[in-house]
Amino acid sequence: MPLLHVNIDHIATVRQARRASEPDPVAAAAVCELAGADGITVHLREDRRHIQDRDVRLLRSTVKTILNLESSLADEMIAIACDVRPDEVCLVPENRREITTEGGLDAATELSRLKSVVARLHKAGILVSVFVDPDERQVQASRDAGADFVELHTGQYSGACSHRLATSAVHDELDRLSRAAAHGRSIGLRVNAGHGLDYKNARPVASIPQIEELNIGFSIIARSVFVGLDAAVREMKQSISNN
Ligand code: PXP
């Protein structure tokens, strides 16, 4: 069973709706950890639409599991990451108009920039992951850039599940994820996955043997509105377990 990293960005989305001090993602992270989360993920976006600099700095001193910071390749963001020193940084593409991260990073096209960003983060003692589509060329480019992990984008898979596309489309997406995961491992990368995973669709991805960590945010935070954050995290741990 892969580890569960809970993305708590949307706790901050609720807070920022009123520019208030609650709900505090720092408190949410502690609740997630007590409920069994194996790591905490936040995305400090360039537009600061949800997570704020203060959150990342406080989380660095309070998170007891693993702190994973999602970041664009922008100089300003990499400087913050090197200063805060989360355990892992996941490099993602960022577009100000998007509602959420829309696709994987084009690691193949960005290779030389990616190499220098990975080297900067490594120098600060941070493990680096690259968020890519489940495409062997992108996985290979992440390896060439010196990354430790790839995080495979599960958005196409979860989209196929939620649009109730023919089961063959869902199987095709799972097959792409499995092949990309196997390729990643075969060339020495560690493999994570995430985006759009929920209580119904996460299990088949969790069953891909090479996948170490799942990053799941929206579905857990949405469910927590009704059942509480502790129960929402415990239920997701159960959903991705083999029992
Ligand atoms: N992984 C990455 C790289 C992401 O950008 C996100 C969204 O912030 C997630 C995982 C989690 O996606 P979701 O909120 O849909 O579970």
Side-chain angles (χ1 to χ4, degrees), residues 91 104-111 114-115 118 128-154 175-193 208 210-211:
L91 297 167
L105 194 72
D106 187 350
T109 304
E110 296 268 17
L111 187 56
L114 201 52
K115 268 187 186 162
V118 171
V128 185
S129 176
V130 184
F131 184 55
V132 290
D133 290 333
D135 166 343
E136 292 184 12
R137 186 167 149 263
Q138 298 295 348
V139 172
Q140 183 64 53
S142 306
R143 177 79 185 92
D144 296 343
D148 306 283
F149 294 87
V150 273
E151 180 175 331
L152 300 176
H153 190 334
T154 51
D175 191 48
R176 281 178 76 206
L177 288 164
S178 299
R179 280 188 283 114
H183 179 62
R185 179 61 69 80
S186 76
I187 58 174
L189 284 165
R190 298 170 70 183
V191 183
N192 302 332
I208 297 173
Q210 294 85 3
I211 292 181

Side-chain angles (χ1 to χ4, degrees), residues 7 9 70 90 92 100-101 131 151 194-197 215-218:
N7 181 316
D9 290 349
E70 292 177 1
C90 179
V92 299
T100 180
T101 313
F131 184 55
E151 180 175 331
H195 211 284
L197 297 177
N215 273 294
I216 308 183
F218 183 79

Side-chain angles (χ1 to χ4, degrees), residues 8 12 15-16 23-26 42 44 50-62 67:
I8 55 171
R15 178 190 61 190
Q16 295 310 112
D24 189 338
V26 178
V42 289
L44 183 67
H50 38 52
I51 292 293
Q52 306 296 305
D53 298 59
R54 161 266 184 209
D55 302 329
V56 181
R57 290 183 190 280
L58 282 176
L59 286 166
R60 173 61 298 179
S61 39
T62 59
L67 179 61

Side-chain angles (χ1 to χ4, degrees), residues 72-73 78 91 112-122 128:
S72 75
L73 297 179
I78 299 304
L91 297 167
S112 70
R113 190 169 170 217
L114 201 52
K115 268 187 186 162
S116 80
V117 168
V118 171
R120 265 175 87 186
L121 292 166
H122 276 167
V128 185

